[in-house]
Amino acid sequence: MSLRIHHARHCLAYALSALILLGTVAGCMPDLTRGRDFGEPPICEVHARVMVKQKVPVIASYDDLYGPEWAAAQRELFPHSDSPRTWEGDIAVHGEFALDYVCPGCNEARDQWLIQNRPGIARAKGLIK
Ligand SMILES: [Zn+2]
């Protein structure tokens, strides 16, 4: 076997294992849409808009993102925004992202809430000048 062919084989094996690794990592990402019945297509119960499956950040359930008012508003006004989800799972094991439904109406309601209730954060996010 020439050195060149050997090198090519080595590269192929490397590419294959990288691909497998990538698949494994993606497969590990928790799917929060599983077992939730939103119909087909999935519709937001607050805004009646079609939601898309998207990668969203997750934070530990004991982490308080913007205070208790935020948590209440998130539950009632924008349950499907792309803001971090509190999650019971072990973030050190499963990573900092999960798949979940995201509603464009929830994102807009979330932005409005931040502008009205957390102007400092809204400014930092570029929602207001
Ligand atoms: Zn919504």
Side-chain angles (χ1 to χ4, degrees), residues 54-110:
Q54 202 177 300
K55 191 175 150 186
V56 294
V58 289
I59 54 169
S61 51
Y62 50 79
D63 268 343
D64 201 359
L65 197 58
Y66 304 133
E69 299 96 346
W70 160 267
Q74 195 174 33
R75 266 195 309 274
E76 288 159 30
L77 306 174
F78 42 89
H80 309 292
S81 79
D82 58 8
S83 288
R85 306 280 186 274
T86 50
W87 191 55
E88 304 290 334
D90 191 342
I91 285 165
V93 174
H94 297 277
E96 295 172 351
F97 292 94
L99 281 176
D100 202 359
Y101 289 121
V102 171
C103 159
C106 284
N107 283 341
E108 288 162 19
R110 184 264 329 269

Side-chain angles (χ1 to χ4, degrees), residues 4-88:
R4 199 178 201 146
I5 289 169
H6 183 76
H7 181 72
R9 277 195 180 177
H10 184 77
C11 279
L12 192 69
Y14 178 77
L16 254 167
S17 56
L19 211 71
I20 289 164
L21 187 74
L22 210 73
T24 314
V25 169
C28 271
M29 188 155 64
D31 186 353
L32 305 177
T33 64
R34 241 181 258 163
R36 286 166 59 189
D37 186 16
F38 282 116
E40 196 60 53
I43 301 286
C44 172
E45 71 273 28
V46 178
H47 303 101
R49 287 171 72 171
V50 176
M51 302 189 287
V52 287
K53 216 183 243 194
Q54 202 177 300
K55 191 175 150 186
V56 294
V58 289
I59 54 169
S61 51
Y62 50 79
D63 268 343
D64 201 359
L65 197 58
Y66 304 133
E69 299 96 346
W70 160 267
Q74 195 174 33
R75 266 195 309 274
E76 288 159 30
L77 306 174
F78 42 89
H80 309 292
S81 79
D82 58 8
S83 288
R85 306 280 186 274
T86 50
W87 191 55
E88 304 290 334

